[in-house]
Amino acid sequence: MESLFTSDAYNEIMSRIEKLDGNAKAKWGKMNVSQMLAHCNFPLQVALQDLKLEKPNAFKRWLFSFFKSSLYDDKPWKQSLPTSKEFIVHDCKEFTTEKSRLKKIIERFHNEKTRLEWPPHPMFGAFTQEQWGKMQYKHLDHHLKQFGA
């Protein structure tokens, strides 16, 4: 799995986002392209501690532990997987604004490539720097494929 911390993966993702237009149609799922761009900000905000999520109870954290490695392994995610309620975007979003916002936060995240210590994820616990980079790449790749980019 690629990592958003490498220059090649970063440049690839940024190029794919740039190719999107506001009329792109989803191959699966319920979001439109503007909502997808807004949605893609949330995991990056969690990693950068801009978004605080409520810590789930012990049972849910135990349950999440079984899926943790699927966030950063080489296996593609299935289409139309359920989304955490905190990451669902219901309202209308403006395409150009969301595209710009996402590119800025991806740049911020990428610029943390030398950071070795990361806060634990509220639902999944500790991730290494490598796992954070792979997880963010995998999420963005999944949704860019959703819209043909």
Side-chain angles (χ1 to χ4, degrees):
M1 180 56 51
E2 296 284 345
S3 168
L4 201 52
F5 289 130
T6 68
S7 294
D8 288 345
Y10 168 78
N11 290 330
E12 172 211 324
I13 290 292
M14 294 299 256
S15 174
R16 289 167 66 189
I17 291 170
E18 198 54 44
K19 290 176 185 172
L20 285 171
D21 71 52
N23 297 314
K25 300 291 181 215
K27 295 179 178 183
W28 70 83
K30 299 175 184 175
M31 294 185 285
N32 64 38
V33 67
S34 300
Q35 290 169 321
M36 177 275 289
L37 292 169
H39 162 82
C40 285
N41 274 283
F42 296 134
L44 292 156
Q45 290 173 328
V46 170
L48 295 168
Q49 295 186 287
D50 293 347
L51 176 63
K52 306 288 186 206
L53 299 178
E54 193 171 309
K55 204 171 188 180
N57 63 41
F59 174 74
K60 281 187 178 178
R61 284 194 313 275
W62 174 79
L63 191 61
F64 290 151
S65 71
F66 291 100
F67 301 101
K68 182 176 178 177
S69 66
S70 71
L71 297 174
Y72 53 81
D73 66 16
D74 289 335
K75 296 176 192 163
W77 289 339
K78 294 180 181 171
Q79 298 173 358
S80 299
L81 286 172
T83 300
S84 178
K85 67 179 182 186
E86 297 90 353
F87 294 176
I88 295 174
V89 179
H90 294 288
D91 53 333
C92 294
K93 297 290 182 183
E94 200 280 315
F95 176 77
T96 306
T97 301
E98 295 306 325
K99 185 175 177 180
S100 176
R101 241 178 95 221
L102 180 58
K103 288 170 63 177
K104 285 177 186 169
I105 198 162
I106 289 170
E107 181 179 7
R108 270 184 62 212
F109 182 82
H110 174 73
N111 287 336
E112 294 286 336
K113 60 186 170 260
T114 59
R115 180 177 174 180
L116 298 178
E117 294 199 23
W118 289 81
H121 190 284
M123 295 180 186
F124 295 99
F127 287 109
T128 65
Q129 185 254 16
E130 179 183 7
Q131 291 166 339
W132 274 113
K134 288 180 176 183
M135 177 172 51
Q136 298 301 335
Y137 176 88
K138 187 172 182 176
H139 183 246
L140 291 164
D141 178 63
H142 174 77
H143 285 294
L144 290 169
K145 285 178 180 173
Q146 178 184 12
F147 285 87

